[in-house]
Amino acid sequence: MSTRKPGSKELPIGAVVTKSSMEYETGDWGVEKPQIDLEKCTQCTLCHYFCPEGAITVNDDGYPEVQNNYCKGCGICAEECPVKCIEMVRMK
Amino acid sequence: MSAKQILMGLNGDESVAYATKQVNPDIVAAYPITPQTIIVEKYSEYVADGEVDSEFVAVESEHSALSSCVGASAAGARAFTATAANGLALMWEITFIASGLRLPIVMAIVNRSVGGPINIHNDHSDSMGARDSGWIQIHCENSQEVYDASITAWRMAEHPDVLLPVMVCLDGFTLSHTMENVLTLPDKVVSDFVGEREFITVEGHMGETELRLNPEVPLTFGPVDLQDYYFEHKLHQIEAMKQAFKVIPEIDAEYAKVSGRSYDLLHPYRMEDAEVALLGLGSTMGTVRHTVDQLRDEGVKAGLVKMRVFRPFPSSELVDALKDIPAVGVLDKSLSLGAPGGPLYEETKAALYHLPKKPLIANYIHGLGGRDTGPQLIRGVFESLLEIKDKGEVGDPMNYVGARP
């Protein structure tokens, strides 16, 4: 994270945003990540709908996938999963 | 060559409303408050009578008035509002946002004391309270200056090197409700002078685009701006204020060509050989000018410096005007309770500090809550300055002119 940030002369005025929110990766914020046991998953997709960051997508087979670049590790998915197939695992 | 003009009888508020009608901004969002009310009444009449194209937004508070202007201005509109006293206090949060997002809003401030105790009359406690918010401040002596500033303010605000909101300040009742002769320009001359709002281009997250909201090329205004970028954006505003020193006189000179009336950051009067001088803002300076003329007739070497532009603060022009004057009095029409003196006094002293030989300077607080400051009181201030000059020392610099001890 030691990249040089732009100085005032390089920044646009008015504090307008210079990059898309897609480029603000928030995945390094949290300390835990969800790990989904696909054997137990019933494809209900509640985790996808409950995720406040939109960081759980649903793949073509109908299973949830965690986008770790954006997941902040809040644990809502694990809390809401009706079959308790999501475990929050501490990141190394 | 200046345009043919029509002489009208207008009070200060009507001067604001009439000039703004000629500018015809896209939106006017305002909440009526004494002594600004006439501006809102007049402008709603213009809207109701179809004399302007402006959208009038009848908001429920001043906070919403300025917030509406922020949204409209970010979308590329010309946005106008007006307020006074506690109304400006309620806008306080948004004044910083308007400036920080670099939105060229124009706002008339009809100066009134900020309660409490509640008082509807004139002093500068409202606009002085907003002096650090990043707005240009123009202080008017009479309704003619109010009319002229209500036109030129748009060009100053929207200049690509500036992009800062502007407050046009006029003294409540003394100007706002007092009819004067005002020379007005034809509508077309005003609309040609203000032209269309121009936009600079910026590099946003979807590429290069004009600095305004546009669904085709979206921009995000007002994002969270933390430790790593906020300071740099403040440097932008500092630079914009510096540029305003250059831009304001350019626009005033251009306006002088069409109107025949020239303005400057500072207006010194009979200062060439002055031994005592008063510095101040707004309508009081008319009374001071009258008193200076009387004193000059009596052989007293008196002068005055009227500060028209208070933000950005014209330090170097002030130094030039005051450096050789033996005794200077600073008229403040507001308090900074607990501070060494009034705001204009403090900043004037700061501007002169580096001079090897400095004038003796005293502070004269006057006119609080609308207390009348007539020629006799101003004469007393000059007598006090002459005493300071003769003694060669200021003593207690704080004087409360016209207050009962």
Side-chain angles (χ1 to χ4, degrees):
Chain A
M1 294 295 280
S2 63
T3 51
R4 190 192 157 274
K5 292 191 171 70
S8 74
K9 290 187 174 63
E10 301 156 73
L11 288 168
I13 74 155
V16 291
V17 170
T18 54
K19 52 183 182 179
S20 159
S21 58
M22 293 294 284
E23 293 175 55
Y24 289 100
E25 297 195 348
T26 49
D28 59 354
W29 286 22
V31 291
E32 293 180 332
K33 294 282 182 202
Q35 217 156 61
I36 305 176
D37 181 354
L38 297 180
E39 298 287 315
K40 281 162 74 181
C41 175
T42 62
Q43 301 179 313
C44 73
T45 69
L46 276 180
C47 55
H48 163 73
Y49 287 108
F50 271 107
C51 176
E53 294 297 319
I56 299 180
T57 52
V58 180
N59 67 18
D60 291 346
D61 300 330
Y63 284 106
E65 273 177 10
V66 180
Q67 305 300 318
N68 282 322
N69 287 353
Y70 302 106
C71 170
K72 292 174 181 170
C74 68
I76 289 174
C77 50
E79 183 66 26
E80 297 295 338
C81 176
V83 295
K84 298 292 165 211
C85 76
I86 304 178
E87 190 192 352
M88 297 304 291
V89 179
R90 196 176 175 91
M91 302 306 288
K92 293 279 172 0
Chain B
M1 187 173 141
S2 60
K4 184 172 158 42
Q5 303 191 41
I6 301 157
L7 186 66
M8 294 178 75
L10 298 174
N11 63 38
D13 278 0
E14 289 167 344
S15 300
V16 171
Y18 190 75
T20 308
K21 171 186 130 161
Q22 293 183 306
V23 170
N24 199 6
D26 299 296
I27 89 147
V28 173
Y31 189 88
I33 179 171
T34 302
Q36 156 267 35
T37 318
I38 303 167
I39 299 174
V40 180
E41 287 172 352
K42 269 282 161 201
Y43 211 85
S44 347
E45 276 177 32
Y46 294 144
V47 173
D49 294 346
E51 293 188 57
V52 286
D53 305 310
S54 315
E55 183 84 18
F56 185 85
V57 188
V59 285
E60 93 297 349
S61 77
E62 287 85 356
H63 192 280
S64 300
L66 192 51
S67 297
S68 300
C69 289
V70 162
S73 189
R78 274 199 169 128
F80 175 84
T81 187
T83 193
N86 298 54
L88 179 56
L90 187 53
M91 283 181 180
W92 199 75
E93 176 188 15
I94 314 300
T95 59
F96 283 72
I97 293 170
S99 170
L101 304 192
R102 311 299 298 278
L103 302 172
I105 296 163
V106 172
M107 167 155 69
I109 302 295
V110 187
N111 288 111
R112 162 185 153 181
S113 65
V114 177
I118 195 162
N119 178 302
I120 59 165
H121 291 282
N122 167 237
D123 67 32
H124 294 159
S125 47
D126 49 5
S127 57
M128 282 298 168
R131 69 185 187 272
D132 297 337
S133 60
W135 288 57
I136 290 171
Q137 281 194 10
I138 301 169
H139 287 259
C140 302
E141 181 186 327
N142 53 47
S143 293
Q144 184 70 63
E145 291 192 16
V146 172
Y147 171 81
D148 294 330
S150 300
I151 294 165
T152 53
W154 295 96
R155 292 281 306 279
M156 297 169 187
E158 293 170 5
H159 192 285
D161 295 340
V162 178
L163 289 175
L164 290 173
V166 178
M167 290 182 192
V168 176
C169 303
L170 58 147
D171 287 333
F173 293 106
T174 318
L175 296 186
S176 68
H177 286 60
T178 307
M179 189 180 284
E180 292 181 30
N181 289 331
V182 177
L183 280 167
T184 59
L185 295 162
D187 291 354
K188 174 136 185 7
V189 173
V190 175
S191 58
D192 285 349
F193 182 81
V194 294
E196 293 286 319
R197 182 175 162 191
E198 287 174 41
F199 299 92
I200 62 160
T201 54
V202 292
E203 190 68 27
H205 70 277
M206 301 289 278
E208 195 172 81
T209 183
E210 288 182 338
L211 182 61
R212 62 172 165 141
L213 296 172
N214 170 9
E216 303 300 320
V217 190
L219 272 182
T220 301
F221 276 73
V224 63
D225 194 24
L226 301 179
Q227 306 95 317
D228 48 356
Y229 284 103
Y230 178 89
F231 207 162
E232 280 70 29
H233 291 129
K234 289 293 144 185
L235 293 185
H236 286 173
Q237 287 174 274
I238 291 166
E239 179 59 24
M241 280 287 179
K242 276 189 199 158
Q243 291 297 322
F245 282 125
K246 179 173 67 71
V247 167
I248 294 171
E250 281 172 14
I251 289 162
D252 282 335
E254 199 183 317
Y255 187 72
K257 280 187 200 149
V258 295
S259 69
R261 291 180 292 277
S262 42
Y263 292 104
D264 222 321
L265 303 168
L266 278 186
H267 289 256
Y269 179 72
R270 302 189 88 163
M271 288 292 286
E272 308 75 37
D273 59 342
E275 294 179 339
V276 285
L278 277 176
L279 166 71
L281 303 162
S283 65
T284 307
M285 299 319 284
T287 312
V288 177
R289 185 176 294 103
H290 169 78
T291 311
V292 164
D293 285 342
Q294 280 187 338
L295 290 169
R296 284 280 178 172
D297 289 346
E298 295 164 23
V300 179
K301 289 181 175 170
L304 74 88
V305 177
K306 176 176 77 177
M307 187 176 284
R308 175 170 164 266
V309 177
F310 175 71
R311 281 288 181 274
F313 192 82
S315 300
S316 63
E317 289 80 2
L318 196 59
V319 167
D320 286 345
L322 299 180
K323 62 182 187 312
D324 298 322
I325 311 299
V328 172
V330 181
L331 290 163
D332 264 297
K333 214 190 258 187
S334 64
L335 292 173
S336 180
L337 289 165
L344 185 56
Y345 165 76
E346 287 185 351
E347 296 191 10
T348 301
K349 280 183 97 171
L352 299 173
Y353 180 79
H354 68 281
L355 291 178
K357 186 172 152 285
K358 298 178 249 295
L360 297 162
I361 304 182
N363 194 188
Y364 298 89
I365 307 278
H366 73 291
L368 298 188
R371 179 65 53 87
D372 192 32
T373 308
Q376 279 311 313
L377 283 181
I378 298 296
R379 181 175 277 267
V381 171
F382 274 114
E383 281 163 9
S384 148
L385 281 175
L386 286 165
E387 205 175 301
I388 287 170
K389 182 186 80 83
D390 291 343
K391 275 205 275 190
E393 61 175 24
V394 177
D396 181 359
M398 298 309 297
N399 303 275
Y400 302 94
V401 181
R404 297 178 297 276

